[in-house]
CSV table of all heavy atoms in Angstrom, one decimal:
chain,number,residue,atom,x,y,z
I,96,SER,N,-131.9,-65.5,30.7
I,96,SER,CA,-133.3,-65.9,30.7
I,96,SER,C,-133.9,-65.7,29.3
I,96,SER,O,-133.4,-64.9,28.5
I,96,SER,CB,-134.1,-65.2,31.8
I,96,SER,OG,-135.4,-65.5,31.8
I,97,THR,N,-135.1,-66.3,29.1
I,97,THR,CA,-135.9,-66.0,27.9
I,97,THR,C,-136.7,-64.7,28.0
I,97,THR,O,-137.3,-64.3,27.1
I,97,THR,CB,-136.9,-67.2,27.7
I,97,THR,OG1,-137.7,-67.4,28.8
I,97,THR,CG2,-136.1,-68.5,27.4
I,98,ILE,N,-136.6,-64.1,29.2
I,98,ILE,CA,-137.3,-62.8,29.4
I,98,ILE,C,-136.5,-61.6,28.9
I,98,ILE,O,-135.3,-61.5,29.2
I,98,ILE,CB,-137.7,-62.7,30.9
I,98,ILE,CG1,-138.7,-63.7,31.4
I,98,ILE,CG2,-138.1,-61.3,31.2
I,98,ILE,CD1,-139.0,-63.7,32.8
I,99,SER,N,-137.1,-60.7,28.2
I,99,SER,CA,-136.4,-59.5,27.6
I,99,SER,C,-136.5,-58.4,28.6
I,99,SER,O,-137.5,-57.7,28.6
I,99,SER,CB,-137.0,-59.2,26.3
I,99,SER,OG,-136.4,-58.0,25.8
I,100,TYR,N,-135.5,-58.3,29.4
I,100,TYR,CA,-135.6,-57.1,30.4
I,100,TYR,C,-135.3,-55.8,29.7
I,100,TYR,O,-135.7,-54.8,30.3
I,100,TYR,CB,-134.6,-57.4,31.5
I,100,TYR,CG,-133.1,-57.2,31.2
I,100,TYR,CD1,-132.4,-56.0,31.5
I,100,TYR,CD2,-132.4,-58.2,30.6
I,100,TYR,CE1,-131.1,-55.7,31.1
I,100,TYR,CE2,-131.0,-58.0,30.3
I,100,TYR,CZ,-130.4,-56.8,30.5
I,100,TYR,OH,-129.1,-56.6,30.2
I,101,VAL,N,-134.7,-55.8,28.6
I,101,VAL,CA,-134.5,-54.5,27.9
I,101,VAL,C,-135.8,-53.9,27.5
I,101,VAL,O,-136.1,-52.7,27.6
I,101,VAL,CB,-133.6,-54.7,26.6
I,101,VAL,CG1,-133.6,-53.4,25.8
I,101,VAL,CG2,-132.2,-55.2,27.0
I,102,LYS,N,-136.8,-54.8,27.1
I,102,LYS,CA,-138.1,-54.3,26.7
I,102,LYS,C,-138.9,-54.0,27.9
I,102,LYS,O,-139.7,-53.0,27.9
I,102,LYS,CB,-138.9,-55.5,25.9
I,102,LYS,CG,-140.2,-55.0,25.4
I,102,LYS,CD,-140.8,-56.2,24.6
I,102,LYS,CE,-142.1,-55.8,24.0
I,102,LYS,NZ,-142.8,-56.8,23.1
I,103,ILE,N,-138.8,-54.7,29.0
I,103,ILE,CA,-139.5,-54.4,30.3
I,103,ILE,C,-139.1,-53.0,30.8
I,103,ILE,O,-140.0,-52.2,31.2
I,103,ILE,CB,-139.2,-55.4,31.3
I,103,ILE,CG1,-139.8,-56.9,30.9
I,103,ILE,CG2,-139.8,-55.1,32.6
I,103,ILE,CD1,-139.4,-58.0,31.8
I,104,PHE,N,-137.8,-52.7,30.8
I,104,PHE,CA,-137.4,-51.5,31.4
I,104,PHE,C,-137.3,-50.3,30.4
I,104,PHE,O,-137.0,-49.2,30.7
I,104,PHE,CB,-136.0,-51.6,32.0
I,104,PHE,CG,-136.0,-52.4,33.4
I,104,PHE,CD1,-135.7,-53.8,33.3
I,104,PHE,CD2,-136.4,-51.8,34.5
I,104,PHE,CE1,-135.8,-54.5,34.5
I,104,PHE,CE2,-136.5,-52.6,35.7
I,104,PHE,CZ,-136.1,-53.9,35.7
I,105,ASP,N,-137.6,-50.7,29.2
I,105,ASP,CA,-137.6,-49.6,28.0
I,105,ASP,C,-136.2,-48.9,28.0
I,105,ASP,O,-136.3,-47.7,28.1
I,105,ASP,CB,-138.7,-48.7,28.2
I,105,ASP,CG,-139.0,-47.9,27.0
I,105,ASP,OD1,-138.5,-48.2,25.9
I,105,ASP,OD2,-139.5,-46.7,27.2
I,106,ILE,N,-135.1,-49.7,27.9
I,106,ILE,CA,-133.8,-49.0,27.9
I,106,ILE,C,-133.2,-49.3,26.5
I,106,ILE,O,-133.5,-50.2,25.8
I,106,ILE,CB,-132.9,-49.6,29.0
I,106,ILE,CG1,-132.9,-51.1,29.0
I,106,ILE,CG2,-133.4,-49.2,30.4
I,106,ILE,CD1,-132.0,-51.8,30.0
I,107,ASP,N,-132.2,-48.4,26.2
I,107,ASP,CA,-131.5,-48.5,24.9
I,107,ASP,C,-130.5,-49.6,24.9
I,107,ASP,O,-130.2,-50.2,25.9
I,107,ASP,CB,-131.0,-47.2,24.4
I,107,ASP,CG,-130.0,-46.6,25.5
I,107,ASP,OD1,-129.3,-47.4,26.1
I,107,ASP,OD2,-129.9,-45.3,25.6
I,108,GLN,N,-129.8,-49.7,23.8
I,108,GLN,CA,-128.8,-50.8,23.7
I,108,GLN,C,-127.5,-50.5,24.4
I,108,GLN,O,-126.6,-51.3,24.4
I,108,GLN,CB,-128.5,-51.1,22.2
I,108,GLN,CG,-129.8,-51.6,21.4
I,108,GLN,CD,-130.3,-52.9,22.0
I,108,GLN,OE1,-129.5,-53.8,22.4
I,108,GLN,NE2,-131.6,-53.0,22.2
I,109,ASN,N,-127.4,-49.2,24.8
I,109,ASN,CA,-126.2,-48.8,25.6
I,109,ASN,C,-126.2,-49.0,27.0
I,109,ASN,O,-125.4,-48.5,27.8
I,109,ASN,CB,-125.8,-47.3,25.2
I,109,ASN,CG,-125.6,-47.1,23.8
I,109,ASN,OD1,-124.9,-47.9,23.1
I,109,ASN,ND2,-126.0,-46.0,23.3
I,110,HIS,N,-127.2,-49.7,27.5
I,110,HIS,CA,-127.4,-49.9,29.0
I,110,HIS,C,-126.2,-50.7,29.5
I,110,HIS,O,-125.5,-51.4,28.8
I,110,HIS,CB,-128.8,-50.7,29.2
I,110,HIS,CG,-128.7,-52.1,28.7
I,110,HIS,ND1,-129.0,-52.4,27.4
I,110,HIS,CD2,-128.4,-53.3,29.2
I,110,HIS,CE1,-128.9,-53.7,27.2
I,110,HIS,NE2,-128.5,-54.2,28.3
I,111,LEU,N,-126.0,-50.6,30.8
I,111,LEU,CA,-125.0,-51.3,31.5
I,111,LEU,C,-125.3,-52.8,31.6
I,111,LEU,O,-126.4,-53.2,31.9
I,111,LEU,CB,-124.8,-50.8,32.9
I,111,LEU,CG,-124.3,-49.3,33.0
I,111,LEU,CD1,-124.1,-49.0,34.5
I,111,LEU,CD2,-123.1,-49.0,32.3
I,112,THR,N,-124.3,-53.6,31.3
I,112,THR,CA,-124.4,-55.1,31.4
I,112,THR,C,-124.1,-55.5,32.8
I,112,THR,O,-123.6,-54.6,33.7
I,112,THR,CB,-123.5,-55.8,30.4
I,112,THR,OG1,-122.2,-55.5,30.7
I,112,THR,CG2,-123.8,-55.3,28.9
I,113,HIS,N,-124.2,-56.8,33.2
I,113,HIS,CA,-123.9,-57.2,34.5
I,113,HIS,C,-122.4,-57.0,34.8
I,113,HIS,O,-121.9,-56.8,35.8
I,113,HIS,CB,-124.3,-58.6,34.6
I,113,HIS,CG,-123.7,-59.6,33.7
I,113,HIS,ND1,-124.1,-59.9,32.4
I,113,HIS,CD2,-122.6,-60.4,33.8
I,113,HIS,CE1,-123.4,-60.7,31.8
I,113,HIS,NE2,-122.4,-61.1,32.6
I,114,ARG,N,-121.6,-57.2,33.7
I,114,ARG,CA,-120.1,-57.1,33.8
I,114,ARG,C,-119.7,-55.6,34.3
I,114,ARG,O,-118.8,-55.4,35.1
I,114,ARG,CB,-119.4,-57.5,32.6
I,114,ARG,CG,-119.5,-59.0,32.3
I,114,ARG,CD,-118.6,-59.3,31.1
I,114,ARG,NE,-118.7,-60.7,30.8
I,114,ARG,CZ,-119.6,-61.3,30.0
I,114,ARG,NH1,-120.5,-60.6,29.5
I,114,ARG,NH2,-119.5,-62.6,29.8
I,115,GLU,N,-120.4,-54.7,33.6
I,115,GLU,CA,-120.1,-53.3,34.0
I,115,GLU,C,-120.6,-52.9,35.3
I,115,GLU,O,-119.9,-52.1,36.0
I,115,GLU,CB,-120.7,-52.4,32.9
I,115,GLU,CG,-120.0,-52.5,31.5
I,115,GLU,CD,-120.8,-51.9,30.4
I,115,GLU,OE1,-122.1,-52.0,30.4
I,115,GLU,OE2,-120.2,-51.3,29.5
I,116,ILE,N,-121.8,-53.4,35.7
I,116,ILE,CA,-122.3,-53.2,37.1
I,116,ILE,C,-121.3,-53.8,38.1
I,116,ILE,O,-120.9,-53.2,39.1
I,116,ILE,CB,-123.6,-53.8,37.2
I,116,ILE,CG1,-124.7,-53.1,36.5
I,116,ILE,CG2,-124.1,-53.9,38.8
I,116,ILE,CD1,-124.9,-51.7,36.9
I,117,TRP,N,-120.8,-55.0,37.9
I,117,TRP,CA,-119.8,-55.6,38.8
I,117,TRP,C,-118.5,-54.8,38.8
I,117,TRP,O,-117.8,-54.8,39.9
I,117,TRP,CB,-119.6,-57.0,38.4
I,117,TRP,CG,-120.6,-58.0,38.8
I,117,TRP,CD1,-121.6,-57.7,39.7
I,117,TRP,CD2,-121.0,-59.2,38.1
I,117,TRP,NE1,-122.5,-58.8,39.6
I,117,TRP,CE2,-122.2,-59.7,38.8
I,117,TRP,CE3,-120.4,-60.0,37.0
I,117,TRP,CZ2,-122.7,-60.9,38.4
I,117,TRP,CZ3,-121.0,-61.2,36.7
I,117,TRP,CH2,-122.2,-61.7,37.4
I,118,LYS,N,-118.1,-54.2,37.7
I,118,LYS,CA,-117.0,-53.4,37.7
I,118,LYS,C,-117.2,-52.1,38.6
I,118,LYS,O,-116.2,-51.8,39.4
I,118,LYS,CB,-116.6,-52.9,36.3
I,118,LYS,CG,-115.3,-52.1,36.2
I,118,LYS,CD,-115.2,-51.5,34.7
I,118,LYS,CE,-115.0,-52.6,33.7
I,118,LYS,NZ,-114.8,-52.1,32.3
I,119,CYS,N,-118.3,-51.5,38.5
I,119,CYS,CA,-118.6,-50.4,39.5
I,119,CYS,C,-118.6,-50.9,40.9
I,119,CYS,O,-118.1,-50.2,41.8
I,119,CYS,CB,-120.0,-49.8,39.1
I,119,CYS,SG,-120.1,-49.0,37.5
I,120,SER,N,-119.2,-52.1,41.1
I,120,SER,CA,-119.3,-52.7,42.5
I,120,SER,C,-117.9,-52.9,43.1
I,120,SER,O,-117.6,-52.7,44.2
I,120,SER,CB,-120.0,-53.9,42.5
I,120,SER,OG,-121.3,-53.8,41.9
I,121,THR,N,-116.9,-53.3,42.1
I,121,THR,CA,-115.6,-53.6,42.6
I,121,THR,C,-114.9,-52.3,43.1
I,121,THR,O,-114.2,-52.3,44.1
I,121,THR,CB,-114.8,-54.2,41.5
I,121,THR,OG1,-115.4,-55.4,41.1
I,121,THR,CG2,-113.3,-54.5,41.9
I,122,TRP,N,-115.1,-51.2,42.3
I,122,TRP,CA,-114.5,-49.9,42.8
I,122,TRP,C,-115.2,-49.5,44.0
I,122,TRP,O,-114.5,-48.9,44.9
I,122,TRP,CB,-114.8,-48.9,41.6
I,122,TRP,CG,-113.8,-49.0,40.5
I,122,TRP,CD1,-114.0,-49.4,39.3
I,122,TRP,CD2,-112.4,-48.6,40.6
I,122,TRP,NE1,-112.9,-49.4,38.5
I,122,TRP,CE2,-111.9,-48.9,39.3
I,122,TRP,CE3,-111.5,-48.1,41.6
I,122,TRP,CZ2,-110.5,-48.7,39.0
I,122,TRP,CZ3,-110.2,-47.9,41.3
I,122,TRP,CH2,-109.7,-48.1,40.0
I,123,LEU,N,-116.5,-49.6,44.2
I,123,LEU,CA,-117.1,-49.2,45.4
I,123,LEU,C,-116.6,-50.0,46.6
I,123,LEU,O,-116.3,-49.5,47.7
I,123,LEU,CB,-118.6,-49.4,45.4
I,123,LEU,CG,-119.4,-48.4,44.5
I,123,LEU,CD1,-120.8,-48.8,44.4
I,123,LEU,CD2,-119.3,-47.0,45.1
I,124,THR,N,-116.4,-51.3,46.4
I,124,THR,CA,-115.9,-52.2,47.5
I,124,THR,C,-114.4,-51.8,47.8
I,124,THR,O,-114.0,-52.0,49.0
I,124,THR,CB,-115.9,-53.7,47.0
I,124,THR,OG1,-117.2,-54.0,46.6
I,124,THR,CG2,-115.5,-54.6,48.1
I,125,ILE,N,-113.7,-51.2,46.9
I,125,ILE,CA,-112.3,-50.7,47.3
I,125,ILE,C,-112.3,-49.4,47.9
I,125,ILE,O,-111.7,-49.2,49.0
I,125,ILE,CB,-111.5,-50.8,46.0
I,125,ILE,CG1,-111.3,-52.2,45.5
I,125,ILE,CG2,-110.1,-50.1,46.3
I,125,ILE,CD1,-110.6,-52.3,44.1
I,126,ILE,N,-113.1,-48.5,47.4
I,126,ILE,CA,-113.0,-47.1,47.8
I,126,ILE,C,-113.6,-46.8,49.2
I,126,ILE,O,-113.0,-46.1,50.0
I,126,ILE,CB,-113.8,-46.2,46.7
I,126,ILE,CG1,-112.9,-46.2,45.4
I,126,ILE,CG2,-113.9,-44.7,47.2
I,126,ILE,CD1,-113.7,-45.5,44.3
I,127,VAL,N,-114.8,-47.4,49.4
I,127,VAL,CA,-115.5,-47.1,50.6
I,127,VAL,C,-114.7,-47.6,51.9
I,127,VAL,O,-114.4,-46.8,52.8
I,127,VAL,CB,-116.9,-47.7,50.6
I,127,VAL,CG1,-117.6,-47.5,52.0
I,127,VAL,CG2,-117.8,-47.0,49.6
I,128,PRO,N,-114.2,-48.9,52.0
I,128,PRO,CA,-113.5,-49.4,53.0
I,128,PRO,C,-112.1,-48.6,53.2
I,128,PRO,O,-111.6,-48.4,54.3
I,128,PRO,CB,-113.2,-50.8,52.8
I,128,PRO,CG,-114.3,-51.2,51.9
I,128,PRO,CD,-114.6,-50.0,51.1
Side-chain angles (χ1 to χ4, degrees):
S96 174
T97 56
I98 291 176
S99 175
Y100 73 96
V101 174
K102 185 175 181 179
I103 293 173
F104 289 98
D105 192 25
I106 52 181
D107 58 33
Q108 297 302 318
N109 295 323
H110 66 274
L111 296 183
T112 65
H113 61 276
R114 291 186 179 88
E115 292 166 324
I116 290 293
W117 285 338
K118 186 185 297 183
C119 296
S120 304
T121 302
W122 280 109
L123 287 174
T124 305
I125 295 172
I126 292 172
V127 174

